[in-house]
């Protein structure tokens, strides 16, 4: 049996990122990537796409390599978190809104926080999670990312909506929100995963989160722009 693989095929396979594989629902066309970049730079001209950027897109999914607008229903993974650098894009399903349990019983008396559209800085941090070891539940720290100076609203009146009745607040680093994985395998709904944080729809040890985490952790930068926009602004 001939096990030799032509070098051209070998290297072309190595150069394909996950979102570029044929038939992948995470693939974005060059036209779609360009539209996202141009829209963000129209709002934030100093955005530098020569380095990795993180883009949160509310109410969107990828169909035929294009972003399609879908209903942004709470507690569902109906948002996109996309890494973009130059002409490359790696997309991940996720959520930009808190889960249902946080609306009923928020972590702070001022009400649950929801991130507003805007541009923020993302830096490395750690996030706690519970694991069972030798029959005991212990808390460990995992690599995650912090959104500094996050702006948003708190559901102060506890009506389950974020509207003009709710105060606009800015969070500092100590009370900021994180971008992290989920402490459940095969998560289908947000639930307790978010009390205001941003999530990738992935368990901590699953390939999706590891790909996102390692793409940034292997980068020389110490911070990245995180821009949150609506899908309707960039849908083709």
């Amino acid at each position: 049996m001939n096990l030799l693989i032509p070098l051209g095929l070998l290297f072309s396979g190595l150069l394909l990122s996950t979102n570029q594989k044929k038939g992948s629902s995470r693939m974005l066309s060059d036209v779609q990537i360009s539209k996202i970049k141009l829209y963000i730079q129209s709002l934030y001209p100093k955005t530098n796409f020569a380095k990795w950027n993180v883009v949160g897109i509310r109410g969107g999914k990828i169909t035929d390599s294009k972003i399609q607008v879908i209903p942004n229903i709470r507690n569902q993974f109906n948002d996109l978190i996309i890494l973009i650098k130059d002409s490359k894009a790696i997309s991940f399903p996720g959520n930009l809104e808190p889960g249902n349990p946080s609306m009923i019983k928020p972590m702070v008396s001022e009400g649950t926080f929801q991130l507003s559209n805007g541009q923020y800085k993302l830096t490395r941090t750690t996030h706690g999670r519970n694991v069972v070891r030798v029959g005991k539940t212990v808390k460990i720290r995992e690599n995650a990312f912090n959104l500094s100076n996050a702006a948003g609203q708190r559901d102060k009146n506890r009506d389950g909506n974020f509207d003009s009745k709710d105060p606009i607040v800015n969070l500092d680093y100590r009370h900021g929100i994180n971008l992290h994985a989920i402490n459940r395998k095969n998560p289908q709904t947000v639930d307790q995963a978010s009390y205001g944080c941003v999530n990738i729809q992935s368990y901590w040890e699953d390939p999706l989160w590891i790909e996102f985490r390692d793409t940034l952790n292997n980068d020389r930068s110490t911070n990245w722009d995180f821009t949150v926009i609506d899908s309707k602004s960039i849908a083709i």
Side-chain angles (χ1 to χ4, degrees):
M1 182 184 296
N2 186 0
L3 297 178
L4 293 176
I5 301 173
L7 284 177
L9 289 177
L10 175 62
F11 285 112
S12 66
L14 289 174
L15 290 172
L16 281 175
S17 65
T18 302
N19 71 303
Q20 294 171 318
K21 292 178 181 177
K22 186 177 180 180
S24 171
S25 61
R26 298 172 60 201
M27 177 179 177
L28 287 176
S29 68
D30 292 341
V31 173
Q32 181 67 84
I33 295 170
S34 178
K35 186 163 186 178
I36 295 171
K37 290 165 61 177
L38 287 172
Y39 178 72
I40 290 175
Q41 287 177 324
S42 73
L43 299 175
Y44 310 101
K46 293 183 179 180
T47 304
N48 178 16
F49 283 102
K51 59 179 287 188
W52 284 113
N53 277 253
V54 186
V55 181
I57 299 178
R58 295 189 195 275
K61 73 172 184 177
I62 299 174
T63 303
D64 296 329
S65 305
K66 297 178 289 187
I67 292 176
Q68 176 185 350
V69 178
I70 60 173
N72 194 21
I73 302 170
R74 185 175 305 286
N75 212 51
Q76 303 296 315
F77 293 106
N78 46 28
D79 303 321
L80 294 169
I81 312 298
I82 302 177
L83 294 172
I84 298 180
K85 179 181 179 182
D86 296 323
S87 61
K88 296 179 255 182
I90 312 173
S91 63
F92 304 84
N95 63 283
L96 293 160
E97 294 86 24
N100 283 343
S102 71
M103 306 303 294
I104 299 169
K105 191 175 180 180
M107 296 181 71
V108 296
S109 59
E110 292 87 352
T112 293
F113 178 84
Q114 178 169 289
L115 185 68
S116 293
N117 288 8
Q119 188 172 81
Y120 312 99
K121 286 296 181 184
L122 201 67
T123 57
R124 296 181 180 92
T125 189
T126 60
H127 191 85
R129 74 174 177 112
N130 294 327
V131 297
V132 177
R133 290 181 175 170
V134 198
K136 292 183 178 180
T137 300
V138 296
K139 183 165 244 184
I140 64 172
R141 306 296 297 183
E142 292 275 11
N143 292 134
F145 301 91
N146 178 267
L147 276 73
S148 61
N149 298 320
Q153 288 181 286
R154 288 198 179 277
D155 183 27
K156 189 173 183 179
N157 58 9
R158 310 283 183 89
D159 65 353
N161 298 305
F162 292 92
D163 50 37
S164 59
K165 300 175 185 177
D166 299 308
I168 297 172
V169 297
N170 289 278
L171 306 181
D172 60 24
Y173 180 85
R174 294 169 301 162
H175 304 97
I177 63 172
N178 288 346
L179 190 163
H180 59 81
I182 294 172
N183 201 30
R184 285 176 282 125
K185 294 184 179 180
N186 192 32
Q188 298 301 307
T189 51
V190 179
D191 296 323
Q192 291 91 349
S194 175
Y195 278 73
C197 288
V198 176
N199 301 115
I200 302 294
Q201 187 185 1
S202 173
Y203 181 58
W204 290 97
E205 298 168 13
D206 285 346
L208 269 182
W209 170 249
I210 292 171
E211 181 182 14
F212 180 90
R213 179 198 69 193
D214 288 356
T215 299
L216 295 184
N217 279 343
N218 292 334
D219 188 57
R220 292 183 178 181
S221 298
T222 57
N223 63 77
W224 305 269
D225 284 335
F226 183 98
T227 310
V228 181
I229 58 178
D230 292 320
S231 59
K232 64 183 180 182
S233 301
I234 47 81
I236 295 177

Short mmCIF file of all heavy atoms in Angstrom, two decimals, residues 86-139:
data_model
loop_
_atom_site.label_atom_id
_atom_site.label_comp_id
_atom_site.label_asym_id
_atom_site.label_seq_id
_atom_site.Cartn_x
_atom_site.Cartn_y
_atom_site.Cartn_z
N ASP A 86 -7.01 39.81 9.64
CA ASP A 86 -6.79 39.93 8.20
C ASP A 86 -7.99 39.35 7.46
O ASP A 86 -9.11 39.78 7.67
CB ASP A 86 -5.47 39.26 7.81
CG ASP A 86 -4.26 39.95 8.44
OD1 ASP A 86 -4.28 41.18 8.55
OD2 ASP A 86 -3.31 39.25 8.83
N SER A 87 -7.77 38.35 6.62
CA SER A 87 -8.87 37.75 5.86
C SER A 87 -9.38 36.46 6.50
O SER A 87 -10.21 35.77 5.93
CB SER A 87 -8.43 37.46 4.42
OG SER A 87 -7.33 36.55 4.42
N LYS A 88 -8.88 36.15 7.70
CA LYS A 88 -9.28 34.92 8.39
C LYS A 88 -10.41 35.19 9.36
O LYS A 88 -10.46 36.25 9.99
CB LYS A 88 -8.08 34.33 9.16
CG LYS A 88 -6.94 33.87 8.30
CD LYS A 88 -5.83 33.33 9.18
CE LYS A 88 -4.69 34.32 9.25
NZ LYS A 88 -3.57 33.81 10.05
N ALA A 89 -11.31 34.21 9.50
CA ALA A 89 -12.39 34.32 10.48
C ALA A 89 -12.69 32.93 11.03
O ALA A 89 -12.77 31.96 10.28
CB ALA A 89 -13.63 34.92 9.85
N ILE A 90 -12.84 32.85 12.35
CA ILE A 90 -13.20 31.59 13.01
C ILE A 90 -14.44 31.90 13.84
O ILE A 90 -14.40 32.74 14.74
CB ILE A 90 -12.07 31.08 13.92
CG1 ILE A 90 -10.72 31.08 13.19
CG2 ILE A 90 -12.40 29.67 14.43
CD1 ILE A 90 -9.54 30.75 14.10
N SER A 91 -15.54 31.23 13.56
CA SER A 91 -16.79 31.53 14.24
C SER A 91 -17.15 30.47 15.27
O SER A 91 -16.83 29.29 15.11
CB SER A 91 -17.92 31.68 13.23
OG SER A 91 -18.14 30.47 12.54
N PHE A 92 -17.85 30.91 16.32
CA PHE A 92 -18.26 30.04 17.42
C PHE A 92 -19.69 30.40 17.82
O PHE A 92 -20.02 31.59 17.94
CB PHE A 92 -17.34 30.23 18.63
CG PHE A 92 -15.88 30.01 18.35
CD1 PHE A 92 -15.10 31.02 17.81
CD2 PHE A 92 -15.30 28.77 18.61
CE1 PHE A 92 -13.75 30.82 17.54
CE2 PHE A 92 -13.96 28.56 18.34
CZ PHE A 92 -13.18 29.58 17.80
N PRO A 93 -20.53 29.42 18.07
CA PRO A 93 -21.86 29.72 18.63
C PRO A 93 -21.72 30.16 20.08
O PRO A 93 -20.83 29.67 20.80
CB PRO A 93 -22.60 28.38 18.51
CG PRO A 93 -21.51 27.35 18.57
CD PRO A 93 -20.33 27.97 17.90
N GLY A 94 -22.57 31.08 20.51
CA GLY A 94 -22.46 31.54 21.89
C GLY A 94 -23.65 32.39 22.29
O GLY A 94 -24.70 32.37 21.65
N ASN A 95 -23.47 33.13 23.37
CA ASN A 95 -24.54 34.02 23.86
C ASN A 95 -23.93 35.30 24.40
O ASN A 95 -22.85 35.30 24.98
CB ASN A 95 -25.37 33.34 24.95
CG ASN A 95 -24.56 32.99 26.18
OD1 ASN A 95 -23.82 32.01 26.16
ND2 ASN A 95 -24.68 33.78 27.25
N LEU A 96 -24.67 36.39 24.19
CA LEU A 96 -24.26 37.71 24.68
C LEU A 96 -25.22 38.23 25.76
O LEU A 96 -25.05 39.33 26.25
CB LEU A 96 -24.21 38.70 23.52
CG LEU A 96 -23.11 38.43 22.48
CD1 LEU A 96 -23.44 39.13 21.16
CD2 LEU A 96 -21.76 38.87 23.00
N GLU A 97 -26.22 37.42 26.10
CA GLU A 97 -27.21 37.83 27.11
C GLU A 97 -27.23 36.83 28.26
O GLU A 97 -26.89 35.65 28.09
CB GLU A 97 -28.61 37.90 26.48
CG GLU A 97 -28.77 38.98 25.44
CD GLU A 97 -28.33 38.52 24.06
OE1 GLU A 97 -28.34 37.29 23.81
OE2 GLU A 97 -27.98 39.37 23.23
N PRO A 98 -27.63 37.28 29.45
CA PRO A 98 -27.68 36.38 30.61
C PRO A 98 -28.76 35.31 30.47
O PRO A 98 -29.73 35.49 29.73
CB PRO A 98 -27.97 37.32 31.78
CG PRO A 98 -28.65 38.51 31.15
CD PRO A 98 -28.03 38.65 29.79
N GLY A 99 -28.59 34.21 31.19
CA GLY A 99 -29.56 33.12 31.17
C GLY A 99 -30.78 33.42 32.04
O GLY A 99 -30.79 34.35 32.84
N ASN A 100 -31.80 32.60 31.89
CA ASN A 100 -33.06 32.81 32.62
C ASN A 100 -32.90 32.82 34.14
O ASN A 100 -33.52 33.66 34.82
CB ASN A 100 -34.09 31.75 32.22
CG ASN A 100 -34.72 32.05 30.86
OD1 ASN A 100 -34.64 33.18 30.37
ND2 ASN A 100 -35.33 31.04 30.26
N PRO A 101 -32.13 31.90 34.75
CA PRO A 101 -32.03 31.91 36.21
C PRO A 101 -31.53 33.23 36.78
O PRO A 101 -31.96 33.65 37.86
CB PRO A 101 -31.04 30.78 36.50
CG PRO A 101 -31.22 29.84 35.35
CD PRO A 101 -31.43 30.73 34.16
N SER A 102 -30.65 33.91 36.04
CA SER A 102 -30.11 35.18 36.54
C SER A 102 -31.16 36.28 36.58
O SER A 102 -31.05 37.24 37.35
CB SER A 102 -28.93 35.63 35.68
OG SER A 102 -29.38 36.05 34.40
N MET A 103 -32.17 36.17 35.74
CA MET A 103 -33.23 37.18 35.72
C MET A 103 -34.16 37.01 36.92
O MET A 103 -34.76 37.97 37.40
CB MET A 103 -34.03 37.09 34.42
CG MET A 103 -33.18 37.16 33.15
SD MET A 103 -32.18 38.66 33.05
CE MET A 103 -33.45 39.91 32.88
N ILE A 104 -34.29 35.79 37.40
CA ILE A 104 -35.16 35.50 38.55
C ILE A 104 -34.44 35.77 39.86
O ILE A 104 -34.99 36.36 40.79
CB ILE A 104 -35.62 34.03 38.49
CG1 ILE A 104 -36.42 33.79 37.20
CG2 ILE A 104 -36.46 33.68 39.72
CD1 ILE A 104 -36.70 32.33 36.92
N LYS A 105 -33.16 35.35 39.90
CA LYS A 105 -32.38 35.51 41.13
C LYS A 105 -30.99 36.02 40.76
O LYS A 105 -30.04 35.26 40.64
CB LYS A 105 -32.28 34.17 41.87
CG LYS A 105 -31.71 34.31 43.27
CD LYS A 105 -31.74 32.97 44.00
CE LYS A 105 -31.17 33.11 45.41
NZ LYS A 105 -31.19 31.82 46.13
N PRO A 106 -30.84 37.34 40.57
CA PRO A 106 -29.54 37.90 40.18
C PRO A 106 -28.52 37.78 41.30
O PRO A 106 -28.87 37.61 42.47
CB PRO A 106 -29.87 39.37 39.89
CG PRO A 106 -31.12 39.65 40.66
CD PRO A 106 -31.89 38.37 40.68
N MET A 107 -27.24 37.87 40.91
CA MET A 107 -26.15 37.74 41.87
C MET A 107 -25.99 38.98 42.73
O MET A 107 -25.42 38.92 43.82
CB MET A 107 -24.85 37.42 41.15
CG MET A 107 -24.85 36.08 40.43
SD MET A 107 -23.29 35.70 39.60
CE MET A 107 -22.25 35.37 41.01
N VAL A 108 -26.46 40.12 42.25
CA VAL A 108 -26.35 41.38 43.01
C VAL A 108 -27.73 42.02 43.12
O VAL A 108 -28.60 41.82 42.26
CB VAL A 108 -25.35 42.35 42.35
CG1 VAL A 108 -23.95 41.78 42.37
CG2 VAL A 108 -25.77 42.69 40.93
N SER A 109 -27.92 42.81 44.15
CA SER A 109 -29.23 43.41 44.42
C SER A 109 -29.63 44.42 43.36
O SER A 109 -30.82 44.70 43.17
CB SER A 109 -29.23 44.08 45.80
OG SER A 109 -28.23 45.09 45.87
N GLU A 110 -28.66 44.98 42.63
CA GLU A 110 -28.97 45.99 41.62
C GLU A 110 -29.59 45.38 40.36
O GLU A 110 -30.04 46.09 39.47
CB GLU A 110 -27.70 46.76 41.23
CG GLU A 110 -27.16 47.65 42.33
CD GLU A 110 -26.21 46.88 43.25
OE1 GLU A 110 -26.11 45.65 43.10
OE2 GLU A 110 -25.58 47.52 44.11
N GLY A 111 -29.60 44.05 40.26
CA GLY A 111 -30.18 43.39 39.09
C GLY A 111 -29.12 42.81 38.17
O GLY A 111 -27.95 43.19 38.21
N THR A 112 -29.54 41.89 37.33
CA THR A 112 -28.63 41.23 36.40
C THR A 112 -28.13 42.20 35.33
O THR A 112 -28.87 43.06 34.86
CB THR A 112 -29.32 40.03 35.74
OG1 THR A 112 -29.56 39.05 36.73
CG2 THR A 112 -28.48 39.42 34.64
N PHE A 113 -26.87 42.02 34.94
CA PHE A 113 -26.23 42.88 33.95
C PHE A 113 -26.33 42.27 32.55
O PHE A 113 -26.18 41.06 32.38
CB PHE A 113 -24.75 43.05 34.31
CG PHE A 113 -23.96 43.88 33.33
CD1 PHE A 113 -23.96 45.26 33.41
CD2 PHE A 113 -23.21 43.26 32.33
CE1 PHE A 113 -23.22 46.01 32.51
CE2 PHE A 113 -22.46 44.01 31.43
CZ PHE A 113 -22.47 45.39 31.52
N GLN A 114 -26.59 43.13 31.56
CA GLN A 114 -26.53 42.71 30.16
C GLN A 114 -25.64 43.67 29.38
O GLN A 114 -25.84 44.88 29.42
CB GLN A 114 -27.91 42.66 29.52
CG GLN A 114 -27.86 42.27 28.04
CD GLN A 114 -29.24 41.96 27.47
OE1 GLN A 114 -29.83 40.94 27.79
NE2 GLN A 114 -29.77 42.85 26.62
N LEU A 115 -24.67 43.11 28.67
CA LEU A 115 -23.71 43.90 27.89
C LEU A 115 -24.40 44.63 26.75
O LEU A 115 -25.22 44.06 26.03
CB LEU A 115 -22.63 42.96 27.35
CG LEU A 115 -21.46 43.59 26.61
CD1 LEU A 115 -20.60 44.41 27.58
CD2 LEU A 115 -20.63 42.50 25.93
N SER A 116 -24.05 45.90 26.57
CA SER A 116 -24.59 46.69 25.46
C SER A 116 -23.68 46.57 24.24
O SER A 116 -22.51 46.18 24.35
CB SER A 116 -24.69 48.17 25.85
OG SER A 116 -25.67 48.37 26.84
N ASN A 117 -24.21 46.92 23.08
CA ASN A 117 -23.37 47.00 21.89
C ASN A 117 -22.29 48.05 22.11
O ASN A 117 -22.52 49.08 22.76
CB ASN A 117 -24.20 47.38 20.66
CG ASN A 117 -25.11 46.24 20.21
OD1 ASN A 117 -25.23 45.22 20.89
ND2 ASN A 117 -25.74 46.43 19.07
N GLY A 118 -21.11 47.80 21.57
CA GLY A 118 -20.00 48.73 21.75
C GLY A 118 -18.69 48.01 21.54
O GLY A 118 -18.65 46.84 21.15
N GLN A 119 -17.60 48.72 21.81
CA GLN A 119 -16.27 48.12 21.69
C GLN A 119 -15.55 48.17 23.03
O GLN A 119 -15.49 49.22 23.68
CB GLN A 119 -15.44 48.83 20.62
CG GLN A 119 -14.12 48.11 20.31
CD GLN A 119 -13.40 48.70 19.11
OE1 GLN A 119 -12.72 49.72 19.23
NE2 GLN A 119 -13.55 48.07 17.94
N TYR A 120 -15.01 47.03 23.43
CA TYR A 120 -14.36 46.88 24.73
C TYR A 120 -13.01 46.22 24.55
O TYR A 120 -12.64 45.80 23.45
CB TYR A 120 -15.25 46.03 25.66
CG TYR A 120 -16.69 46.48 25.67
CD1 TYR A 120 -17.66 45.82 24.89
CD2 TYR A 120 -17.09 47.57 26.42
CE1 TYR A 120 -18.97 46.25 24.88
CE2 TYR A 120 -18.40 48.01 26.41
CZ TYR A 120 -19.34 47.35 25.64
OH TYR A 120 -20.65 47.78 25.63
N LYS A 121 -12.26 46.13 25.62
CA LYS A 121 -10.98 45.44 25.60
C LYS A 121 -11.11 44.09 26.30
O LYS A 121 -11.71 43.99 27.37
CB LYS A 121 -9.89 46.27 26.30
CG LYS A 121 -9.42 47.47 25.50
CD LYS A 121 -8.74 47.04 24.19
CE LYS A 121 -8.24 48.26 23.41
NZ LYS A 121 -7.66 47.85 22.10
N LEU A 122 -10.53 43.09 25.67
CA LEU A 122 -10.53 41.74 26.21
C LEU A 122 -9.12 41.40 26.66
O LEU A 122 -8.16 41.60 25.91
CB LEU A 122 -10.99 40.76 25.12
CG LEU A 122 -11.54 39.40 25.54
CD1 LEU A 122 -12.87 39.58 26.27
CD2 LEU A 122 -11.75 38.51 24.31
N THR A 123 -8.99 40.92 27.89
CA THR A 123 -7.68 40.54 28.42
C THR A 123 -7.77 39.15 29.06
O THR A 123 -8.86 38.65 29.35
CB THR A 123 -7.19 41.54 29.49
OG1 THR A 123 -8.18 41.63 30.53
CG2 THR A 123 -6.98 42.92 28.88
N ARG A 124 -6.63 38.53 29.28
CA ARG A 124 -6.60 37.21 29.90
C ARG A 124 -6.95 37.31 31.38
O ARG A 124 -6.57 38.25 32.07
CB ARG A 124 -5.22 36.58 29.74
CG ARG A 124 -4.81 36.29 28.31
CD ARG A 124 -3.43 35.64 28.25
NE ARG A 124 -3.03 35.35 26.89
CZ ARG A 124 -2.32 36.17 26.12
NH1 ARG A 124 -1.96 37.37 26.59
NH2 ARG A 124 -1.99 35.83 24.89
N THR A 125 -7.66 36.31 31.86
CA THR A 125 -7.98 36.20 33.28
C THR A 125 -8.22 34.73 33.60
O THR A 125 -7.91 33.86 32.79
CB THR A 125 -9.21 37.07 33.64
OG1 THR A 125 -9.37 37.11 35.06
CG2 THR A 125 -10.49 36.52 33.01
N THR A 126 -8.78 34.46 34.76
CA THR A 126 -9.20 33.09 35.09
C THR A 126 -10.64 33.13 35.58
O THR A 126 -11.13 34.16 36.02
CB THR A 126 -8.31 32.45 36.18
OG1 THR A 126 -8.39 33.25 37.38
CG2 THR A 126 -6.87 32.34 35.71
N HIS A 127 -11.30 31.98 35.48
CA HIS A 127 -12.70 31.87 35.90
C HIS A 127 -12.87 30.57 36.67
O HIS A 127 -12.37 29.52 36.26
CB HIS A 127 -13.62 31.89 34.68
CG HIS A 127 -15.06 32.05 35.02
ND1 HIS A 127 -15.66 33.28 35.21
CD2 HIS A 127 -16.04 31.14 35.22
CE1 HIS A 127 -16.93 33.13 35.49
NE2 HIS A 127 -17.20 31.83 35.52
N GLY A 128 -13.57 30.65 37.80
CA GLY A 128 -13.74 29.46 38.63
C GLY A 128 -14.79 28.51 38.10
O GLY A 128 -15.76 28.92 37.49
N ARG A 129 -14.58 27.21 38.34
CA ARG A 129 -15.60 26.21 38.05
C ARG A 129 -15.44 25.05 39.01
O ARG A 129 -14.36 24.80 39.54
CB ARG A 129 -15.53 25.72 36.62
CG ARG A 129 -14.37 24.78 36.28
CD ARG A 129 -14.53 24.27 34.87
NE ARG A 129 -13.44 23.42 34.44
CZ ARG A 129 -13.55 22.12 34.19
NH1 ARG A 129 -14.71 21.51 34.37
NH2 ARG A 129 -12.52 21.42 33.75
N ASN A 130 -16.55 24.35 39.25
CA ASN A 130 -16.53 23.21 40.16
C ASN A 130 -16.28 21.92 39.40
O ASN A 130 -16.84 21.68 38.33
CB ASN A 130 -17.87 23.10 40.91
CG ASN A 130 -18.09 24.26 41.85
OD1 ASN A 130 -17.14 24.80 42.41
ND2 ASN A 130 -19.33 24.68 42.02
N VAL A 131 -15.40 21.08 39.96
CA VAL A 131 -15.14 19.76 39.40
C VAL A 131 -15.16 18.74 40.54
O VAL A 131 -14.94 19.08 41.71
CB VAL A 131 -13.77 19.70 38.67
CG1 VAL A 131 -13.75 20.63 37.49
CG2 VAL A 131 -12.63 20.03 39.63
N VAL A 132 -15.46 17.50 40.20
CA VAL A 132 -15.46 16.44 41.20
C VAL A 132 -14.16 15.66 41.09
O VAL A 132 -13.82 15.14 40.03
CB VAL A 132 -16.66 15.49 40.99
CG1 VAL A 132 -16.62 14.34 42.00
CG2 VAL A 132 -17.97 16.27 41.12
N ARG A 133 -13.44 15.59 42.19
CA ARG A 133 -12.19 14.86 42.24
C ARG A 133 -12.16 13.98 43.49
O ARG A 133 -12.34 14.47 44.60
CB ARG A 133 -10.99 15.81 42.25
CG ARG A 133 -10.79 16.53 40.91
CD ARG A 133 -9.60 17.44 40.90
NE ARG A 133 -9.39 18.01 39.58
CZ ARG A 133 -8.53 18.98 39.32
NH1 ARG A 133 -7.80 19.51 40.30
NH2 ARG A 133 -8.39 19.45 38.08
N VAL A 134 -11.95 12.72 43.27
CA VAL A 134 -11.92 11.72 44.35
C VAL A 134 -13.17 11.84 45.21
O VAL A 134 -13.11 11.87 46.44
CB VAL A 134 -10.64 11.86 45.21
CG1 VAL A 134 -10.40 10.58 46.03
CG2 VAL A 134 -9.43 12.13 44.35
N GLY A 135 -14.32 11.97 44.54
CA GLY A 135 -15.59 12.02 45.24
C GLY A 135 -15.92 13.33 45.91
O GLY A 135 -16.95 13.44 46.57
N LYS A 136 -15.06 14.35 45.75
CA LYS A 136 -15.32 15.64 46.38
C LYS A 136 -15.40 16.73 45.32
O LYS A 136 -14.69 16.71 44.32
CB LYS A 136 -14.20 15.99 47.38
CG LYS A 136 -14.16 15.08 48.60
CD LYS A 136 -13.08 15.55 49.56
CE LYS A 136 -13.05 14.68 50.83
NZ LYS A 136 -12.00 15.12 51.77
N THR A 137 -16.28 17.70 45.57
CA THR A 137 -16.40 18.84 44.67
C THR A 137 -15.41 19.92 45.09
O THR A 137 -15.42 20.37 46.24
CB THR A 137 -17.83 19.42 44.69
OG1 THR A 137 -18.75 18.40 44.26
CG2 THR A 137 -17.94 20.61 43.75
N VAL A 138 -14.55 20.31 44.16
CA VAL A 138 -13.56 21.34 44.45
C VAL A 138 -13.65 22.42 43.36
O VAL A 138 -14.10 22.16 42.25
CB VAL A 138 -12.13 20.77 44.50
CG1 VAL A 138 -11.98 19.79 45.64
CG2 VAL A 138 -11.76 20.11 43.17
N LYS A 139 -13.25 23.63 43.70
CA LYS A 139 -13.28 24.73 42.74
C LYS A 139 -11.88 24.93 42.18
O LYS A 139 -10.90 24.99 42.94
CB LYS A 139 -13.77 26.02 43.40
CG LYS A 139 -13.89 27.19 42.43
CD LYS A 139 -14.70 28.34 43.03
CE LYS A 139 -15.97 28.54 42.23
NZ LYS A 139 -16.77 29.67 42.68
#
